[in-house]
Amino acid sequence: MGKLDVKILRYLTPEDFRVLTAIEMGMKNHELVPALLATQIANLRYGGVHKLLKEMCKHKLLSYERGKRYDGYRLTNAGYDYLALKVLTQRGTIRSFGNQIGVGKESNIYIVANEEQTSLCLKLHRLGRTCFRNIKGKRDYHQHRHSASWLYLSRISATREFAYMKALLDRGFPVPKPIDFNRHCVVMELVEGGPLCNINEVDNVEALYDELMDLIVRLANHGVIHGDFNEFNIMIKDDGKPVIIDFPQMVSTEHENAEAYFERDVNCIRDFFKRRFGYESELYPTFQDISREDSIDAEVKASGFAKQIEKEIDTFLTENGIDYKEEKDNEDSEDSEEEIYENCVDNIEDLKCQLKDLQLQNEIVVKEEFNASTRVSV
Ligand code: ADP
Ligand code: MG
C-alpha cells in the first residue's frame, strides 16, 4: 500500500501543489486541516479544492481522518516528499531518480542525478511521527504542540544536517559535499564506496583506526561530537579513505553529557575494530585530550536554521498572496522550532527512541526516471 513513484510529480498541477502546501501550512496549528481552512489558505474555490483534496487522498498524498472535534486532512509522508521533491526538481538540483540505496533508522536514501547526469545522494529524513508516544510521559510540550511535529522534526533534522555538513566541509573534514536541501530532504555528494560495516579487510588497520580516532578529536576541537560515530556512519571510499556521514544528532562539546557522548563514539570504534579486525590499541582519545580551537556548534546554532524555515514559509505566503495572519497570531506562545528540536533531542537516547517506528513510514518508492520535458511546471 501507499507506494508511489515520482512519475506522479508530472501529473500534479500547480493547483494540486497549492492545495498540498495549504495542508502543510494548516498543519502548523491544526492536527487535522478542515477542507474549508485549506480552501482559505489556498485561496481557491471551495468546490475545486474539495475535488483536489479527494483526488490527493486517492494518491495517498493526503489522508482524511476523523478527529474528536472535527474531521480534516493531513499530509502523509508521501505528500511531504512530493512537496520537497517538487522544489528540488524545480530548482534543477535533481533531474532524475534512481534506486533506493539505504533505509536508515531515521531516513530513506536514494540515488538521484542532476542536470549534468552526475549521481547524487538524496536523504529523506523521517523523524518524530510516532515518537511522541514515547516522550509524552516525560515532557508535556506535545500537548500544546500538534501532531504535525513530525514535519518539523524531519525538517529541522535535515536543515541541521545540511548546516553541519557545510561547516565541516568548509574546515576540510571528509564529509559528502552538501548540495541543496528543502523541507526534510538533503541532496549531497554520493560517496563511492560502502559503509565500514560491510568491510572485512583493510590494507592498514592501525592507520584507519588512528585516522578515525583523529577525526573524533578534530571534531571535538571544533566544538562538536558526532554522537553516532559507528561503522554504519563511516563510509570507506574506493581509495580506502573514510568519509563521515549522518549528522542530525551532533552535539556540542559544551553539552552536559558531552563527555559521555565523546566516550561512546570512541568506544564504538574500539569495539568495532576489536570485533571485526581483532585489533586493540592502548591508545585512544579521552575528553581531556580536546583543545578547542573553533566553534562549529555555535556557528550552526547561530546560522538560524529555525529562522530560515520561517522565512521560507513567509516567502511562500507572500508569493502566493495568501493572508495567513490570523493563523500566525495564534502561534505567538509556541516554542521556536529550535526549542522544539532541542527539547526533543537534547538527549540522544530520545532521538533514537523517536526513530524506531519510522521504517513503517516508508511510503515512497522512487524508481521511475523522468526528464526535463516531464518536469512539473508551476
Ligand atoms: P540514517 O540517519 O538513517 O542512519 P545515514 O545518513 O546514516 O542515515 O544513511 C544511511 C545509509 O545510506 C548509510 O549507511 C549509507 O550506506 C547510505 N548513504 C548515506 N549517505 C550517503 C552518501 N552521501 N553517499 C553514499 N551512500 C550514502
Ligand atoms: Mg546512519
Side-chain angles (χ1 to χ4, degrees), residues 104-107 123 226 228 230 232-234 245-246 249:
K105 36 193 189 335
E106 35 198 299
S107 70
K123 178 169 176 180
H226 184 281
D228 203 9
N230 58 41
F232 303 98
N233 293 327
I234 297 162
I245 59 168
D246 202 358
Q249 73 292 321

Side-chain angles (χ1 to χ4, degrees), residues 7 20 26 43 55 96 99 124 134 142 166 179 183 191 194-195 210 218 276 279 289 300 310 328 331 359 376:
K7 259 193 311 195
L20 265 191
N43 204 11
E55 196 64 17
S96 59
N99 293 326
L124 294 95
N134 304 326
H142 180 232
K166 195 175 167 315
I179 291 166
R183 292 182 172 83
V191 179
D210 289 346
R218 265 173 67 207
R276 180 66 54 92
Y279 177 84
D289 295 332
V300 166
E310 282 306 319
K328 290 195 113 181
E331 275 165 42
Q359 258 122 339
V376 183

Side-chain angles (χ1 to χ4, degrees), residues 197-210:
C197 62
N198 290 347
I199 304 235
N200 293 309
E201 253 179 276
V202 289
D203 286 347
N204 189 336
V205 174
E206 191 182 343
L208 181 62
Y209 175 91
D210 289 346

Side-chain angles (χ1 to χ4, degrees), residues 11-67:
Y11 304 120
L12 292 180
T13 66
E15 282 75 31
D16 290 325
F17 278 99
R18 201 172 167 103
V19 170
L20 265 191
T21 314
I23 300 293
E24 183 188 31
M25 300 277 120
M27 282 175 72
K28 287 193 77 170
N29 308 40
H30 297 78
E31 197 164 321
L32 295 170
V33 184
L36 192 58
L37 177 62
T39 310
Q40 280 163 2
I41 300 174
N43 204 11
L44 297 167
R45 272 193 14 262
Y46 181 78
V49 170
H50 211 74
K51 206 173 129 237
L52 296 177
L53 288 169
K54 290 260 133 60
E55 196 64 17
M56 279 186 282
C57 282
K58 224 173 68 192
H59 291 295
K60 299 216 162 59
L61 301 181
L62 295 176
S63 68
Y64 183 77
E65 286 167 37
R66 297 188 166 276

Side-chain angles (χ1 to χ4, degrees), residues 18 37 40-43 316-318 320-329:
R18 201 172 167 103
L37 177 62
Q40 280 163 2
I41 300 174
N43 204 11
F316 170 85
L317 294 173
T318 318
N320 289 278
I322 295 167
D323 184 7
Y324 199 56
K325 276 202 204 73
E326 195 196 331
E327 297 301 322
K328 290 195 113 181
D329 286 345

Side-chain angles (χ1 to χ4, degrees), residues 187-342:
V187 180
M188 66 184 108
E189 179 189 351
L190 182 71
V191 179
E192 306 283 350
L196 179 58
C197 62
N198 290 347
I199 304 235
N200 293 309
E201 253 179 276
V202 289
D203 286 347
N204 189 336
V205 174
E206 191 182 343
L208 181 62
Y209 175 91
D210 289 346
E211 195 167 355
L212 294 175
M213 290 304 188
D214 186 50
L215 278 170
I216 293 177
V217 173
R218 265 173 67 207
L219 285 170
N221 289 345
H222 285 268
V224 288
I225 297 161
H226 184 281
D228 203 9
F229 200 88
N230 58 41
E231 63 272 26
F232 303 98
N233 293 327
I234 297 162
M235 306 280 295
I236 302 295
K237 284 194 293 186
D238 297 339
D239 66 5
K241 286 282 182 193
V243 175
I244 319 166
I245 59 168
D246 202 358
F247 306 98
Q249 73 292 321
M250 289 243 289
V251 289
S252 163
T253 48
E254 306 291 306
H255 189 283
E256 56 178 342
N257 299 327
E259 182 162 2
Y261 293 141
F262 181 91
E263 280 174 7
R264 192 166 67 182
D265 279 0
V266 169
N267 286 334
C268 274
I269 298 303
R270 295 183 69 200
D271 292 347
F272 176 76
F273 272 70
K274 195 156 108 191
R275 212 166 58 234
R276 180 66 54 92
F277 305 118
Y279 177 84
E280 269 181 277
S281 170
E282 316 248 280
L283 295 177
Y284 57 89
T286 67
F287 200 58
Q288 280 67 44
D289 295 332
I290 297 171
S291 61
R292 199 197 241 264
E293 57 196 41
D294 184 15
S295 307
I296 289 181
D297 50 345
E299 181 182 303
V300 166
K301 206 167 179 160
S303 73
F305 51 83
K307 276 186 228 112
Q308 148 115 26
I309 290 171
E310 282 306 319
K311 220 172 70 200
E312 266 179 43
I313 292 172
D314 283 344
T315 310
F316 170 85
L317 294 173
T318 318
E319 280 173 0
N320 289 278
I322 295 167
D323 184 7
Y324 199 56
K325 276 202 204 73
E326 195 196 331
E327 297 301 322
K328 290 195 113 181
D329 286 345
N330 297 339
E331 275 165 42
D332 286 351
S333 60
E334 291 185 351
D335 296 342
S336 76
E337 312 212 358
E338 190 165 343
E339 277 164 348
I340 298 164
Y341 192 83
E342 306 237 304

